[in-house]
Amino acid sequence: MPRIDRYILSQFTALFGFFALVLIAVYWLNRSVVLFEQLIADGQTALVVLEFTALTLPLVISLVLPVAGFAASAYGTNRLAGESELVVMQAAGMSPWRMARPVLVFGVMVGIMVGVLVHGLVPMARARLADRQAEVAQNVVSRFLRSGSFQFPTKGLTLFIGDVAADGTLHDVLIEDGRDPARTTLYTAEEALIAKSDTGPKLVMVKGLTQQAQKGADGNTRLAITRFADLTYDIGGLIGSGRRAAGGDLRDYSTPRLLNPDDALLASARATPAEARLQAHVRLAQPLLAPVAALLGFAVLLIGGYSRFGVGPQMLLAVGALVGLQFLATSGEAMAARDPAMAWPAVYLAPLLGGAVVAAALWLAGRPRGPRRGAPAQGAPA
């Protein structure tokens, strides 16, 4: 690689490290505050909070890196222009296309980092986070299963457990559900067990009775009594601690499995083959945004040439182009989600149109800027 390319690449890489660190810290702190409030409210320790926030970090980084690449490219180009280095390069005969070569290398480097995250670390972290959330939900539910006292997990709900055996069996269980003003349901059971499921812990009651009092249209209250051998009650969702298990979301799986989904994957995620492949295409398109964003920050700032007043208008135009790129990416995913089988190419709309904008900006920056045809040159007689 020529020395001038290494110089530009080193400038952009140093700036990229700074902007990535700042943006990741801000974004991660914002998400961590929400997790901190939820987990501390559930009685979890600081180590659990730290683990959960660490598992969200790969996703945060994958979202921030393209923006950090754009910021480094735009700021670095502005610095090169302010110190007249771009003017020297152009005077030496370097075209905008030639100067964009190290920027493309920089963008590809950022894209590779994003690809490693979205295809490897993010699915692994999401799956692990789902498992830990299920374990935490189980612990939260266990805090409410105390024997010999009436408990009120949420408004309108009463829970009583006569005794908890050493093997975890609950005896003499009573649940009164009065959350619906028009209907009150009373569950009683001799025994009950807590069972795990994909949607959170369930309470399986054995040898019990259901009594439901409901107001009719005439204003009278009717009582319906039903005996059951076993009945499942969603106590996880009831307490508000239910969490999905790993595999319940397409984003938990690796890209090769999404491209060739099997029956187990589709059943666990409750998705169709087209939806699974669409998620894989979304991942394949995401790293492509990084080099396009980096080139946008460089190419748009070259439009207009050198000015002692700086590149403020071009900077605003570059930011607008980045916002438009993100809007196209979001719109493309929404369009593809409506018809995953036929509209999946829409997820590649943002990188393709963004690349076209970059090419147009470099072409405009490379146009000759001599005097207009028919206008006298400076110093020449009219």
Side-chain angles (χ1 to χ4, degrees):
M1 180 181 291
R3 182 176 298 179
I4 185 64
D5 289 359
R6 293 198 302 269
Y7 172 72
I8 296 176
L9 185 59
S10 65
Q11 293 289 314
F12 284 11
T13 303
L15 291 171
F16 170 74
F18 170 75
F19 283 113
L21 183 62
V22 172
L23 292 175
I24 290 171
V26 172
Y27 203 120
W28 189 35
L29 181 62
N30 185 43
R31 295 177 66 92
S32 299
V33 168
V34 178
L35 279 175
F36 181 82
E37 293 177 352
Q38 293 176 348
L39 294 173
I40 293 300
D42 288 340
Q44 302 303 315
T45 64
L47 289 177
V48 175
V49 176
L50 181 61
E51 180 186 4
F52 273 49
T53 53
L55 289 173
T56 64
L57 191 56
L59 177 61
V60 171
I61 296 176
S62 67
L63 296 174
V64 165
L65 286 187
V67 180
F70 167 83
S73 173
Y75 187 84
T77 306
N78 183 35
R79 176 186 290 180
L80 293 175
E83 297 176 356
S84 302
E85 292 176 297
L86 285 181
V87 176
V88 174
M89 295 177 194
Q90 291 171 335
M94 294 181 65
S95 68
W97 299 92
R98 172 62 184 83
M99 289 188 293
R101 188 168 70 181
V103 184
L104 177 61
V105 174
F106 166 70
V108 170
M109 291 170 53
V110 178
I112 291 174
M113 288 187 283
V114 175
V116 171
L117 287 167
V118 299
H119 294 296
L121 296 181
V122 172
M124 293 171 56
R126 285 184 58 86
R128 175 59 181 167
L129 181 61
D131 286 338
R132 292 292 290 123
Q133 286 177 331
E135 295 173 7
V136 169
Q138 181 71 24
N139 295 335
V140 172
V141 171
S142 300
R143 290 194 299 108
F144 287 93
L145 304 183
R146 297 192 299 269
S147 59
S149 62
F150 286 92
Q151 301 169 73
F152 309 92
T154 186
K155 184 178 180 180
L157 193 76
T158 303
L159 174 65
F160 178 84
I161 299 172
D163 183 44
V164 181
D167 60 356
T169 303
L170 312 179
H171 297 280
D172 301 328
V173 177
L174 178 145
I175 300 176
E176 183 184 22
D177 189 350
R179 291 173 293 176
D180 186 352
R183 180 178 58 189
T184 301
T185 305
L186 181 68
Y187 303 90
T188 56
E190 296 181 9
E191 296 181 353
L193 294 170
I194 299 177
K196 294 182 179 181
S197 70
D198 292 344
T199 57
K202 308 288 185 182
L203 186 66
V204 181
M205 295 180 283
V206 181
K207 298 179 183 178
L209 184 71
T210 300
Q211 303 176 63
Q212 186 177 90
Q214 184 172 3
K215 291 183 179 180
D218 55 0
N220 297 325
T221 301
R222 293 177 173 81
L223 179 65
I225 301 176
T226 304
R227 295 186 180 275
F228 58 84
D230 58 83
L231 178 68
T232 302
Y233 196 87
D234 184 6
I235 194 171
L238 159 95
I239 298 177
S241 305
R243 297 289 190 272
R244 65 175 182 84
D249 195 308
L250 288 174
R251 292 171 293 182
D252 297 343
Y253 295 95
S254 64
T255 304
R257 288 197 65 186
L258 292 175
L259 290 172
N260 297 285
D262 51 37
D263 294 337
L265 183 152
L266 299 176
S268 179
R270 298 180 180 87
T272 63
E275 292 173 340
R277 295 189 184 96
L278 173 60
Q279 181 60 38
H281 285 294
V282 170
R283 290 186 189 173
L284 292 171
Q286 189 172 347
L288 300 179
L289 294 175
V292 173
L295 286 169
L296 270 178
F298 175 78
V300 175
L301 264 65
L302 292 183
I303 300 176
Y306 174 77
S307 173
R308 65 177 182 273
F309 298 107
V311 290
Q314 290 92 324
M315 185 71 75
L316 293 177
L317 183 61
V319 173
L322 178 67
V323 173
L325 183 68
Q326 295 294 336
F327 175 78
L328 281 175
T330 304
S331 301
E333 292 183 22
M335 186 186 308
R338 288 194 289 268
D339 187 6
M342 300 300 297
W344 60 266
V347 299
Y348 298 99
L349 185 64
L352 290 175
L353 292 181
V357 172
V358 169
L362 290 175
W363 176 79
L364 289 173
R367 290 185 307 164
R369 294 189 177 87
R372 293 176 298 175
R373 182 176 300 177
Q378 186 176 1

